[in-house]
Each structure stands twice: as C-alpha cells, then as structure tokens.
Amino acid sequence: QGDLVESGGGLAQAGGSLRLSCRTSRRLDMTYPLGWFRQTPGKEREFVAIISTSSVNAYYGDSVKGRFTISRDNAESQLFLQMNSLKVEDSALYYCVKFKTPGVLKPTFVADPDQYDTWGRGTQVTVSA
C-alpha cells in the first residue's frame, strides 16, 4: 500500500470510456491539489489534469481537454479521472499525484513533474483501435 493507490485501468476501445480512481491515505492532507500524469515508453511524463482542494479550479493538458474530467471527493479521500472518447494515443501508465504546494491553485507550473511530491505507482490504460 502507498499514500496514493490508483485503480480502474484496463483495456478499452477507441471511442470508449474508462474511469480511474485514486485512493489517498488519510496521512495525506486533502487540502492539497491532486492530479494525474501519464507516461508511455519513450516519452517523458505528461501532465493530464489537476484539481484544486475544493474542486473549484481544474486544469487539463491540451491533449485531453474536452474528453477527460477530473474530480475528487475529499470526504472519501478519493480522486477520479473520467476518460471519454478514448484514443489510442491515450494508452499510458497513469499516475495519481499530489501537488506539493497548498493553497490557491494556479496554472503556473502544474505541468512540471517536479511540482509534485507524492506519486502513486500507476495504473495501465491501453486503448485499441
């Protein structure tokens, strides 16, 4: 077990949907923004989405805007990523991550992996044509 544990990955067809979940440890302060990164072989980790503490603000990577929706349930210490209209290019290992800075979430630096101090081990998503 870890402080962030992802689940929900699997195989989907292009155009289909998957819903990823991330269970957070109670040791983690839920007042921190939480997000998702993904990585495929041969590529650097790519920012997917991040959501503020109270779910007021959310930011998405350009490649997933309009298709993915990030949400969280602080009472249940969970983070979600609803992935719709999946593309083959979405195939990757998806990581649940915690932003290292509390407070107001602004878009600056959210796509920088170094701004996250806690990472899950990932859940694999594979999309077939």
Side-chain angles (χ1 to χ4, degrees):
Q1 186 179 1
D3 288 333
L4 298 174
V5 182
E6 305 93 337
S7 63
L11 180 66
Q13 288 186 290
S17 300
L18 281 176
R19 183 175 176 82
L20 305 184
S21 298
C22 174
R23 179 180 178 178
T24 69
S25 169
R26 290 186 177 181
R27 296 192 304 145
L28 291 180
D29 190 341
M30 291 300 290
T31 64
Y32 284 75
L34 298 172
W36 296 90
F37 269 75
R38 67 186 184 185
Q39 186 173 31
T40 57
K43 289 188 175 182
E44 296 182 347
R45 291 181 177 179
E46 177 188 18
F47 170 72
V48 176
I50 189 168
I51 189 168
S52 62
T53 301
S54 59
S55 302
V56 173
N57 298 312
Y59 302 102
Y60 297 88
D62 291 339
S63 63
V64 306
K65 288 181 179 178
R67 299 187 299 115
F68 291 9
T69 301
I70 188 171
S71 61
R72 64 191 291 167
D73 184 339
N74 292 340
E76 299 296 328
S77 300
Q78 293 191 82
L79 175 73
F80 306 98
L81 183 68
Q82 179 65 45
M83 305 185 293
N84 297 326
S85 301
L86 285 166
K87 301 177 180 180
V88 173
E89 306 93 278
D90 293 320
S91 297
L93 185 65
Y94 284 72
Y95 299 92
C96 176
V97 296
K98 181 180 80 67
F99 200 65
K100 70 179 182 181
T101 304
V104 178
L105 179 64
K106 296 181 179 180
T108 306
F109 303 128
V110 299
D112 182 1
D114 291 338
Q115 301 306 309
Y116 301 82
D117 59 10
T118 307
W119 294 67
R121 293 190 176 185
T123 184
Q124 182 67 44
V125 171
T126 301
V127 183
S128 62

